[in-house]
C-alpha cells in the first residue's frame, strides 16, 4: 500500500506539434486528502487530470497513480471531465445502469441513486434535457457509484448554483471521510475550494508553481505592509509578490527571520497566496524539503 | 461509521457477475442504429424477394412475348413489367453497393468519431472499461451484425440475379462492375472494411465529420483496389481472334490487346478512333494479325470472389490493428500491457 495518490516526475504533454500544455511537472499528492489543483484557464489543470486518469499518454516524463501506471490504476480511479460528457440519448436511470454494466462487482447503486435523487432529478429524464448543473450531478453520481480510491474532478462546481454546490461538496466530503477516498479537484475559482481542501497544487503556464498542505503553505507566508524606505530590508526575506502603494510597500513574503515591529504583518488568505504566485511566475518555489518535513511520511 | 465495512446490497448482488456486461452496454447506447440496420436489411431483403419472385417471372414472361413478336411492327408485350424489373433491379443494386459505405459512415461518425469528440469514449474508459476492451467490443458486436445483415442481402441478391440469368434479356452480366460484388462475399468484406476504417478514422481524427470523411475515403480506396486487383488474383484464360473479327468481350477481362505476326501480345496503340484509317495504319505498323483477351469465364466466379474477399479482409484487419495501435499509443495502454507482460 502506498501513501502517494499521484506522483509526477518531469511530466509533460504536447498536443500534436503545438505548444506544451504541461511541461516539467514534478509533484506528489498524498492519499486520503482533498487536493485542490488551482490555476488560471489554460494552465494545464485538465491535462494533468486526464493524464492521471490514464485517458491520455504523457509526451515525456512519468506519472504514477496509486502506486502503478495510470492505465493499470484506471479501475480504481474515478474521473469527471470538465465538459461532463454523458450519453445525451439515455435517461438518467439508463446512464446509471451503464455504470452498473461497466463496473460489475464494485458498482454502488445506492450511492449513485442517492446523489441523483438529492438533486430532485427524474430518473426517466433524458440527459440531453438536463441543465449544466444537473449533468454535473449525474456525472458525479457515475463517478461515485464506481466507489473509486481516487476521484479526479475537473472543474466540478462550475455549473452549480451555490446551494447545489454546498450540498454536493458535502456529499463528496462524506464520501472521502467514509471510504478514505482521495479527491483531487481543479478550479480556477480559489474561494470555491478554500473550505474543503487541505492540499494545494498551483499550476500556471504548464508548470507547478506551488504545492503542499494548505495550512503549511499559509503558515509559511506572511502579508506585510512596510514603509517604502524598507525595500532593502524586505529583500532579505523571500519576496513572492510586492507592490508599492504611495509611500508604503505591500508584499507577500516567506519570512527568513523576525520581522521589524514597524511592519504590519497579517496572515494571507489562500486567494492572496495563489494570486501572489500567479502574478510572479519567477517567484521562488518553496523547497520540497521544507514541505515534506511537515507532511506525514 | 457502521456502514464502512458493510457493502450495499446492490454491490453484493453484482459481485459475482464476472466482467463488464458489454452487450447490455452496447445495446443501450446504439439501439437506434440497431433498429435502423434491421429496418434497412428488412426493406432491401423484401425488395430482393419481390425481385426474385414476381418481378423476375413477370419480366421473363414479357421478354418471351417480346421475342415471340419477332420484329413484327405491331405486337403486344408487357413492357411495364420489363421496366419495373429494370428499375427495381437498378436501385437495389445501387443500394447493396452502398451498404459498405453506409457502415463506414456510421462507424466513423457515430460509433467512434462522435464518442471521442464528445468525451463519452473517455467516460467509458473512466468507468473501468479499458480502451482496448472498449474498441474490441465496439468492433466485435457490430461486425457480427454487419456480417449477418450484409451476408443475407448478398445471398438474396445472388438468388434474384441467378433467377433472371438467361431469362431476361437486359439482365446484367456477372462481370458488370456492380453485380460482380453485390453478387458475392466481397460486399460483406467491404462492409467489414467500412467498420474497421471507421474505427481507425475515429481514433485518428477524434472528431465526427473528419472521421466520417476519412472512413468513407478508406473504404472507397479499398473497393477500388480490390476491383482492380480481382482479375489478377486467379489465373485467366487467353482467347485470340482474327483481326477481321474484331475484339470480343467474353467475361471479366484481365488484359487485352493485339497479336502481332510473330505471335507477340502487345497493347492496343493510341489512335484516333474518329479517323478509321488512322487506327488501321497504326495496327499495320505493329504487324497486328488478331486480338487477344485474357479473361475469366463465369466458372472462375467463385475463386475470384473468394481470393478477393480474403484480400479485402486482410486490409480490414490491418485497419483494425492500426486502430488498436493508435488507441494504445494515445492512451498509454501499451506501456501498461508491456509492463504486465514483463512481470
Amino acid at each position: 500500500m502506498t501513501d502517494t495518490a499521484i506522483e509526477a516526475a518531469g511530466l509533460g504533454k504536447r498536443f500534436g506539434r503545438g505548444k506544451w500544455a504541461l511541461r516539467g511537472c514534478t509533484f506528489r499528492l498524498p492519499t486520503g486528502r482533498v487536493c485542490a489543483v488551482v490555476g488560471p484557464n489554460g494552465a494545464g489543470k485538465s491535462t494533468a487530470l486526464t493524464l492521471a486518469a490514464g485517458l491520455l499518454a504523457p509526451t515525456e516524463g512519468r506519472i504514477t497513480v496509486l502506486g502503478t501506471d495510470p492505465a493499470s490504476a484506471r479501475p480504481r480511479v474515478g474521473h469527471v471531465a470538465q465538459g461532463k460528457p454523458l450519453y445525451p440519448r439515455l435517461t438518467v436511470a439508463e446512464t446509471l445502469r451503464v455504470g452498473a454494466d461497466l463496473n460489475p462487482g464494485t458498482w454502488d447503486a445506492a450511492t449513485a441513486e442517492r446523489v441523483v435523487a438529492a438533486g430532485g432529478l427524474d430518473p426517466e429524464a433524458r440527459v440531453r434535457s438536463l441543465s449544466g448543473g444537473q449533468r454535473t450531478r449525474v456525472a458525479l453520481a457515475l463517478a461515485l457509484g464506481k466507489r473509486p480510491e481516487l476521484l479526479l474532478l475537473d472543474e466540478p462546481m462550475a455549473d452549480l448554483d451555490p446551494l447545489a454546490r454546498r450540498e454536493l461538496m458535502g456529499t463528496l466530503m462524506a464520501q472521502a471521510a467514509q471510504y478514505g477516498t482521495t479527491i483531487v479537484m481543479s478550479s480556477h475559482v480559489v474561494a470555491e475550494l478554500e473550505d474543503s481542501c487541505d492540499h494545494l497544487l498551483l499550476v500556471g503556464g504548464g508548470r507547478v508553481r506551488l504545492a503542499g498542505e494548505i495550512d503549511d503553505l499559509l503558515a509559511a507566508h506572511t502579508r506585510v505592509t512596510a514603509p517604502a524606505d524598507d525595500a532593502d530590508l524586505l529583500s532579505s526575506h523571500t519576496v513572492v509578490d510586492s507592490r508599492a502603494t504611495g509611500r508604503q510597500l505591500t508584499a507577500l513574503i516567506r519570512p527568513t527571520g523576525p520581522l521589524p515591529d514597524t511592519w504590519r504583518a497579517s496572515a494571507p488568505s489562500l486567494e492572496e497566496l495563489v494570486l501572489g504566485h500567479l502574478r510572479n511566475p519567477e517567484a521562488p518555489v518553496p523547497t520540497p524539503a521544507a514541505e515534506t518535513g511537515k507532511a506525514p511520511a | 461509521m457502521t456502514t464502512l465495512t458493510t457493502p450495499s446490497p446492490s454491490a453484493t448482488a453484482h459481485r459475482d457477475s464476472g466482467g463488464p456486461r458489454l452487450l447490455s452496454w452496447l445495446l443501450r447506447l446504439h439501439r437506434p442504429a440497431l433498429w435502423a440496420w434491421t429496418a434497412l436489411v428488412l426493406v432491401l431483403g423484401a425488395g430482393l424477394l419481390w425481385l426474385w419472385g414476381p418481378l423476375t417471372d413477370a419480366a421473363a414472361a414479357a421478354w418471351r412475348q417480346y421475342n415471340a413478336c419477332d420484329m413484327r411492327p405491331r405486337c403486344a408485350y408487357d413492357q411495364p413489367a420489363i421496366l419495373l424489373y429494370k428499375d427495381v433491379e437498378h436501385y437495389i443494386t445501387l443500394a447493396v453497393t452502398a451498404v459498405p459505405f453506409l457502415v463506414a459512415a456510421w462507424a466513423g461518425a457515430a460509433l467512434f468519431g462522435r464518442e471521442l469528440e464528445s468525451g463519452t469514449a473517455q467516460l467509458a474508459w473512466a468507468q473501468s472499461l479499458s480502451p482496448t476492451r472498449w474498441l474490441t467490443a465496439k468492433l466485435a458486436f457490430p461486425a457480427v451484425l454487419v456480417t449477418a445483415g450484409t451476408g443475407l442481402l448478398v445471398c438474396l441478391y445472388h438468388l434474384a440475379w441467378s433467377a433472371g440469368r438467361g431469362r431476361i434479356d437486359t439482365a446484367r452480366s456477372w462481370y458488370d462492375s456492380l453485380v460482380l460484388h453485390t453478387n458475392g462475399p466481397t460486399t460483406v468484406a467491404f462492409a467489414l472494411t467500412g467498420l474497421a476504417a471507421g474505427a481507425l478514422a475515429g481514433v485518428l481524427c477524434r472528431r465526427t465529420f473528419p472521421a466520417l470523411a476519412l472512413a468513407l475515403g478508406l473504404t472507397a480506396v479499398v473497393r477500388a483496389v480490390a476491383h482492380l486487383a480481382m482479375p489478377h488474383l486467379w489465373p485467366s484464360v487467353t482467347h485470340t481472334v482474327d483481326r477481321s473479327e474484331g475484339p470480343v468481350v467474353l467475361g471479366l477481362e484481365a488484359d487485352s490487346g493485339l497479336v502481332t505476326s510473330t505471335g507477340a501480345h502487345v497493347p492496343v496503340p493510341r489512335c484516333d478512333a474518329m479517323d478509321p484509317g488512322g487506327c488501321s495504319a497504326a495496327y499495320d505498323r505493329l504487324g497486328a494479325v488478331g486480338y487477344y483477351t485474357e479473361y475469366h469465364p463465369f466458372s472462375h466466379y467463385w475463386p475470384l470472389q473468394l481470393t478477393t474477399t480474403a484480400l479485402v479482409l486482410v486490409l480490414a484487419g490491418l485497419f483494425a490493428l492500426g486502430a488498436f495501435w493508435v488507441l494504445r499509443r494515445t492512451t498509454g495502454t501499451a506501456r501498461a500491457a508491456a509492463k504486465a507482460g514483463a512481470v
Side-chain angles (χ1 to χ4, degrees), chain A residues 218 221-225 250-253 259 263-269 272:
Chain A
L218 287 176
H221 291 81
T222 306
R223 202 170 74 96
V224 296
T225 312
T250 306
L252 180 71
I253 61 168
L259 303 175
W263 294 7
R264 263 187 297 127
S266 60
S269 70
E272 283 169 333

Side-chain angles (χ1 to χ4, degrees), chain B residues 51 57 89 125 147 200 224 243 254-255 265 291 313 319 343:
Chain B
L51 190 68
D57 289 346
E89 188 261 6
W125 306 342
T147 307
L200 180 60
R243 190 169 156 185
D255 190 20
H265 289 182
Y291 295 94
L313 286 178
F319 287 167
V343 169

Side-chain angles (χ1 to χ4, degrees), chain A:
Chain A
M1 202 55 215
T2 170
D3 62 352
T4 304
I6 305 177
E7 190 163 20
L11 189 64
K13 176 70 196 176
R14 183 168 56 171
F15 292 99
R17 290 173 189 279
K19 147 179 188 299
W20 289 84
L22 205 64
R23 191 145 205 210
C25 281
T26 301
F27 61 89
R28 176 186 166 273
L29 300 179
T31 53
R33 303 300 163 89
V34 180
C35 175
V37 180
V38 177
N41 292 323
K45 304 186 295 288
S46 296
T47 306
L49 292 182
T50 315
L51 290 172
L55 303 180
L56 272 182
T59 311
E60 61 176 32
R62 194 174 48 81
I63 181 162
T64 311
V65 177
L66 299 172
T68 178
D69 60 285
S72 308
R74 227 184 264 123
R76 293 148 67 201
V77 176
H79 178 252
V80 175
Q82 189 167 12
K84 315 293 176 292
L86 292 168
Y87 301 107
R89 207 182 51 76
L90 299 192
T91 65
V92 173
E94 284 173 325
T95 304
L96 296 188
R97 259 177 259 141
V98 167
D101 282 341
L102 298 186
N103 295 285
T106 54
W107 182 249
D108 182 355
T111 299
E113 278 156 21
R114 201 173 59 238
V115 171
V116 165
L121 291 186
D122 175 8
E124 296 313 310
R126 299 257 170 218
V127 164
R128 76 160 78 85
S129 70
L130 301 181
S131 72
Q134 290 169 324
R135 287 173 63 99
T136 301
R137 191 177 283 279
V138 177
L140 273 175
L142 259 187
L144 285 172
K146 192 184 172 188
R147 207 183 275 171
E149 290 170 44
L150 169 65
L151 189 52
L152 306 165
L153 307 173
D154 198 354
E155 301 274 358
M157 303 297 161
D159 291 323
L160 296 173
D161 61 74
L163 207 64
R165 190 174 296 189
R166 185 170 287 256
E167 188 266 320
L168 269 179
M169 204 57 127
T171 307
L172 284 176
M173 293 309 124
Q175 174 87 7
Q178 191 175 353
Y179 300 109
T181 313
T182 307
I183 299 180
V184 178
M185 59 173 95
S186 76
S187 180
H188 59 273
V189 185
V190 181
E192 180 168 281
L193 305 162
E194 196 158 10
D195 300 333
S196 37
C197 296
D198 38 34
H199 201 96
L200 177 78
L201 184 71
L202 178 61
V203 189
R207 287 170 189 278
V208 175
R209 297 257 178 264
L210 193 62
E213 294 292 297
I214 291 178
D215 289 345
D216 294 347
L217 290 172
L218 287 176
H221 291 81
T222 306
R223 202 170 74 96
V224 296
T225 312
D229 303 340
D230 285 357
D232 289 347
L233 215 54
L234 190 68
S235 61
S236 69
H237 303 277
T238 308
V239 181
V240 175
D241 184 28
S242 79
R243 56 174 68 187
T245 47
R247 269 173 293 147
Q248 286 203 314
L249 279 173
T250 306
L252 180 71
I253 61 168
R254 278 200 296 279
T256 51
L259 303 175
D261 293 338
T262 48
W263 294 7
R264 263 187 297 127
S266 60
S269 70
L270 183 61
E271 186 143 20
E272 283 169 333
L273 190 70
V274 163
L275 289 178
H277 279 87
L278 286 181
R279 267 201 295 269
N280 298 278
E282 300 312 316
V285 172
T287 52
E291 284 168 62
T292 45
K294 284 173 187 170

